[in-house]
Amino acid sequence: MPITATTRGGTEYTPEFLIGIDIGKCIGCGRCYKVCARDVLTLKGVTDEAMIVDVDDEDYEDEIERKVMVIADANDCIGCGACARVCPSGCQTHAPAEAA
């Protein structure tokens, strides 16, 4: 059974949590990062060999082809959906969580 929540007005809803980001679609714009107040996301670099690396890693500094968002801590997601609403590339996957 999925987790449900209630709005201030008393309406019940099912939050959908961030479960994945398609790095092939992500353009690394950072909009989702800016709207997330929970530190769920972080910016990473993609090398010419398709490795995901820290953008500050000096060992890969010259090899980073582009930047993408990745999930830093999925457990901090509260299912608000703000990241999905601002994403211009539709690269995120969200799903309801099952109650424990």
Side-chain angles (χ1 to χ4, degrees), residues 44-63:
K44 294 283 186 172
V46 179
T47 68
D48 51 359
E49 296 173 352
M51 287 177 37
I52 306 293
V53 298
D54 288 332
V55 291
D56 298 332
D57 190 335
E58 293 178 9
D59 292 338
Y60 295 102
E61 186 176 30
D62 296 332
E63 298 177 36

Side-chain angles (χ1 to χ4, degrees), residues 3-100:
I3 293 172
T4 58
T6 306
T7 67
R8 182 172 36 179
T11 304
E12 203 170 271
Y13 72 98
T14 302
E16 293 196 351
F17 301 90
L18 180 63
I19 60 168
I21 298 175
D22 183 339
I23 64 167
K25 290 182 179 179
C26 180
I27 60 173
C29 66
R31 292 176 186 167
C32 56
Y33 178 82
K34 291 175 185 172
V35 299
C36 181
R38 306 285 304 169
D39 295 325
V40 174
L41 304 161
T42 191
L43 188 65
K44 294 283 186 172
V46 179
T47 68
D48 51 359
E49 296 173 352
M51 287 177 37
I52 306 293
V53 298
D54 288 332
V55 291
D56 298 332
D57 190 335
E58 293 178 9
D59 292 338
Y60 295 102
E61 186 176 30
D62 296 332
E63 298 177 36
I64 293 176
E65 295 285 316
R66 63 192 185 95
K67 296 177 183 175
V68 294
M69 283 296 156
V70 298
I71 299 173
D73 192 349
N75 290 328
D76 278 344
C77 180
I78 60 171
C80 71
C83 56
R85 287 191 297 278
V86 299
C87 181
S89 63
C91 65
Q92 301 171 2
T93 303
H94 294 77
E98 295 298 317

